[in-house]
Amino acid sequence: MNDLFEDVAATLSAREQMAAGAVLLRGRALALEDEILAGLESVVAIAPFRHMTTPGGFVMSAAMTSCGIAGWVTDRTGYRYDRTDPATGKPWPTMPESFRRLASEAATDAGYANFTPDSCLINRYLPGARLSLHQDKDERDFAQPIVSVSLGLPATFQFGGIRRADPVVRHPMRHGDIAVWGGPSRLVHHGVLTVRDGDHPKLGRQRINLTFRAAL
Ligand code: SIN
Ligand code: FE2
């Protein structure tokens, strides 16, 4: 029993440096798990997941939605943040208080006080879905970090460098883990390898990622 307790405590407190300005907070979302999952459900009821098309004409394998003042969208005309959900014609759902709190606490833990996200992109990966290496660079203010929360099925997160060809380090991401990158790592290339099939006790056959940004 003590061993189990110590394992859980170690997981909850584990902090890994991915690169300068980039940390991985293992299990950091677990304390707010119930509120976050309830928030997710309420957002998706208003703004359902959809598969968007890249400017190059590819349909993304991860389905997406957003909450907050602005949502990240892509279509044949390009990538952008939009205050309106193109699928419903309405504003995006309000960012749940639990989301905002978790993002700002995690950013503070990672050394970025006063993070004020106005957008949360929600990615859903069913088994077989992936996200190729990219930079988050559609935001106005690169002084603010990115906070990325992993939920559900595990996945392998790729964290590279500023140049696309820079070497990439693979980090396993599990339910409740949070990655934060900013400062010298703000424009690092990152991506997610193909999610393998599995069954998560809370989320079933899917991985959910919440990405918080100061977009506008
Ligand atoms: C993203 O880069 O938008 C999502 C990353 C992830 O799913 O872990
Ligand atoms: Fe990203």
Side-chain angles (χ1 to χ4, degrees):
M1 200 175 118
N2 277 345
D3 282 354
L4 177 61
F5 181 78
E6 277 161 24
D7 285 353
V8 171
T11 306
L12 291 177
S13 63
R15 176 197 174 94
E16 294 165 28
Q17 197 79 32
M18 293 195 291
V23 296
L24 226 162
L25 307 168
R26 293 286 181 202
R28 183 63 179 78
L30 293 177
L32 277 171
E33 181 185 38
D34 291 346
E35 293 94 317
I36 297 293
L37 295 182
L40 175 65
E41 225 174 277
S42 69
V43 167
V44 171
I46 298 169
F49 283 113
R50 79 292 306 264
H51 290 274
M52 295 190 286
T53 303
T54 66
F58 294 99
V59 176
M60 299 184 77
S61 63
M64 299 179 178
T65 186
S66 283
C67 62
I69 306 285
W72 184 83
V73 295
T74 173
D75 58 23
R76 289 308 297 253
T77 69
Y79 306 124
R80 66 183 181 278
Y81 281 97
D82 205 318
R83 290 173 181 265
T84 303
D85 176 355
T88 64
K90 295 185 191 143
W92 297 98
T94 306
M95 193 183 295
E97 189 46 41
S98 58
F99 280 31
R100 190 182 304 283
R101 211 172 96 219
L102 181 63
S104 105
E105 287 179 6
T108 301
D109 287 0
Y112 300 100
N114 308 315
F115 178 47
T116 49
D118 54 16
S119 179
C120 173
L121 172 68
I122 307 175
N123 292 348
R124 184 192 67 193
Y125 304 80
L126 300 185
R130 60 190 285 274
L131 190 65
S132 55
L133 220 53
H134 67 278
Q135 294 168 292
D136 288 7
K137 57 178 184 187
D138 301 320
E139 301 72 31
R140 190 182 52 82
D141 183 8
F142 295 150
Q144 297 221 38
I146 302 287
V147 172
S148 171
V149 180
S150 288
L151 299 167
L153 289 180
T156 302
F157 184 60
Q158 294 186 292
F159 201 75
I162 303 294
R163 290 167 306 177
R164 202 172 200 288
D166 286 339
V168 165
V169 180
R170 294 177 172 188
H171 300 274
M173 293 289 179
R174 292 176 212 93
H175 181 72
D177 291 347
I178 302 186
V180 181
W181 62 95
S185 284
R186 176 61 181 76
L187 290 172
V188 156
H189 285 79
H190 58 280
V192 179
L193 296 184
T194 304
V195 172
R196 294 173 50 184
D197 201 359
D199 190 9
H200 187 270
K202 291 277 165 81
L203 282 160
R205 293 182 70 202
Q206 58 179 342
R207 171 176 187 263
I208 300 286
N209 174 265
L210 315 176
T211 307
F212 295 90
R213 290 116 175 221
L216 300 183

